[in-house]
Amino acid sequence: MKKSLADKIEQYLKVLIERSENNEIEIQRAELAETFACVPSQITYVIGTRFNETVGYYTESRRGGKGFVRITRIDDAQVRAGISRKDFFDFIDQLLERQLVTENESRLLKYLAVNGFREIPSELQNQLFSKLKCCLEDFVQLP
Amino acid sequence: MKKSLADKIEQYLKVLIERSENNEIEIQRAELAETFACVPSQITYVIGTRFNETVGYYTESRRGGKGFVRITRIDDAQVRAGISRKDFFDFIDQLLERQLVTENESRLLKYLAVNGFREIPSELQNQLFSKLKCCLEDFVQLP
DNA sequence: AAACAAAAGGTCAAAGAAGGTCAAGGAGTG
DNA sequence: CACTCCTTGACCTTCTTTGACCTTTTGTTT
């Protein structure tokens, strides 16, 4: 089997993650594309297919000046530890899109999540987010 | 992560706040802009995006001679004592009466308070209730 | 006191700098 | 050949940076 460009990029990133402390790397999409002499969206493709949640990674990114893509490999310990605030926010956004909560409710929930849980150890915070997510799931389906 | 100018200014301000007693700093916008060799509105931008209420800060300022920008990190030390779930529920009922939250929002909040905080040590639970109460107080008065 | 001048900070929109999406076409593989 | 996966590029969205112009406060002059 011949290695595709996507395969090479995948391997390259995995090596970087392997070498990293903390299972996490940050790249510039455009820069990496330059390295492999391909279009930037190729990088997006690799990340989307080889580093998504169902394969045990999760990614964040920021656009604009000095943007980045962060890839984190999640180990079991982290999985047990619950979900991040970002996940929680994403979940709320989904509820909003599906019109299961109102605009105001979503703002309220986010506001509380940010300000109400400050100074709580972060593992506990993540457990809370995780539980709240479950509760919300239940709540929005109540009669 | 390659830090953007906004990131650097953010970090700088956070260090200042960290070092301050009382979680509060006062800066001169123009002076800080000079320090970072940027336009003053850049400072406004950083403050608006990184130190707003939804992230747990609030700011005041004054124009004209002897002007300033004051950034305060919302402190929750007073909250440690905590309040009971009953108090929290009563509080929500008050909000409902004053029509500051909707019927559905109040049910949502109570639902989460009961089901989301199971299996959490009760002192911590009370702290959470207390914090949430404060946050709610703030939230319902936002513009 | 009124009028002006100077010294802050605020607003807003445009330009720039990333990353994201999506669909069409190409390359491998059974 | 058919199917799936890969590659590319045009176009979109988000975040940052900059600058021109505005408003508020204080200080100075008449």
Side-chain angles (χ1 to χ4, degrees):
Chain A
M1 170 179 101
K2 205 184 136 201
K3 266 221 197 69
S4 68
L5 179 52
D7 291 335
K8 289 179 199 152
I9 297 174
E10 174 189 4
Q11 201 176 22
Y12 177 82
L13 289 174
K14 287 194 166 153
V15 169
L16 287 189
I17 294 173
E18 203 51 54
R19 288 191 190 151
S20 77
E21 270 321 300
N22 71 352
N23 288 337
E24 182 175 299
I25 58 171
E26 265 182 27
I27 57 164
Q28 311 271 130
R29 188 180 79 144
E31 189 186 289
L32 186 55
E34 184 111 17
T35 306
F36 282 90
C38 64
V39 294
S41 54
Q42 176 79 273
I43 307 298
T44 306
Y45 172 74
V46 172
I47 288 171
T49 55
R50 268 89 159 168
F51 295 90
N52 56 40
E53 296 233 9
T54 69
V55 209
Y57 294 83
Y58 95 99
T59 59
E60 306 159 90
S61 67
R62 197 170 70 196
R63 305 182 184 191
K66 303 288 193 295
F68 62 84
V69 178
R70 180 160 41 224
I71 306 175
T72 310
R73 188 171 63 201
I74 45 193
D75 52 15
D76 297 340
Q78 280 168 307
V79 169
R80 263 181 273 113
I83 62 173
S84 69
R85 182 158 73 203
K86 178 178 184 308
D87 293 335
F88 186 62
F89 275 33
D90 288 346
F91 173 69
I92 293 175
D93 287 337
Q94 282 171 37
L95 292 183
L96 181 59
E97 261 173 45
R98 292 158 56 201
Q99 302 191 310
L100 293 172
V101 298
T102 66
E103 173 76 33
N104 196 56
E105 282 159 5
S106 81
R107 279 191 299 113
L108 170 62
L109 288 169
K110 288 182 180 181
Y111 188 87
L112 294 182
V114 172
N115 298 291
F117 295 169
R118 182 150 331 120
E119 285 177 24
I120 288 183
S122 74
E123 329 85 61
L124 187 53
Q125 242 183 61
N126 291 350
Q127 282 177 33
L128 275 171
F129 287 139
S130 199
K131 280 209 184 148
L132 290 179
K133 179 179 169 184
C134 294
C135 287
L136 277 170
E137 242 152 16
D138 295 342
F139 182 82
V140 296
Q141 289 182 32
L142 253 38
Chain B
M1 171 170 81
K2 276 186 187 155
K3 282 216 193 67
S4 66
L5 180 52
D7 291 334
K8 290 178 199 153
I9 297 173
E10 173 189 4
Q11 198 179 25
Y12 177 82
L13 289 174
K14 286 196 166 152
V15 169
L16 288 189
I17 294 174
E18 203 51 52
R19 288 191 189 152
S20 78
E21 263 329 294
N22 73 349
N23 288 337
E24 182 175 299
I25 57 171
E26 260 182 33
I27 57 164
Q28 310 275 124
R29 189 180 78 143
E31 187 187 293
L32 186 55
E34 184 107 19
T35 305
F36 282 91
C38 65
V39 294
S41 54
Q42 177 78 273
I43 307 298
T44 306
Y45 171 73
V46 171
I47 288 170
T49 54
R50 268 89 158 166
F51 295 90
N52 56 40
E53 294 234 6
T54 68
V55 204
Y57 295 82
Y58 88 100
T59 60
E60 307 157 90
S61 67
R62 201 166 66 211
R63 306 182 182 191
K66 304 287 192 289
F68 63 85
V69 177
R70 180 160 43 224
I71 306 175
T72 309
R73 198 177 100 191
I74 297 165
D75 182 24
D76 29 27
Q78 333 93 332
V79 173
R80 272 192 236 295
I83 61 174
S84 69
R85 182 155 72 205
K86 178 174 185 314
D87 291 338
F88 185 62
F89 276 32
D90 288 346
F91 173 70
I92 292 177
D93 289 336
Q94 281 171 40
L95 291 183
L96 182 58
E97 262 172 45
R98 292 158 57 201
Q99 302 191 307
L100 292 173
V101 298
T102 66
E103 175 72 33
N104 196 57
E105 281 160 5
S106 81
R107 278 191 299 111
L108 170 61
L109 288 169
K110 288 182 179 178
Y111 188 87
L112 293 182
V114 174
N115 299 291
F117 296 170
R118 289 248 172 78
E119 290 170 29
I120 287 184
S122 74
E123 335 84 64
L124 187 52
Q125 246 184 58
N126 290 351
Q127 282 178 32
L128 278 171
F129 288 139
S130 179
K131 280 196 187 171
L132 290 178
K133 178 181 168 183
C134 292
C135 288
L136 279 170
E137 243 153 14
D138 293 342
F139 183 82
V140 295
Q141 289 184 34
L142 288 179

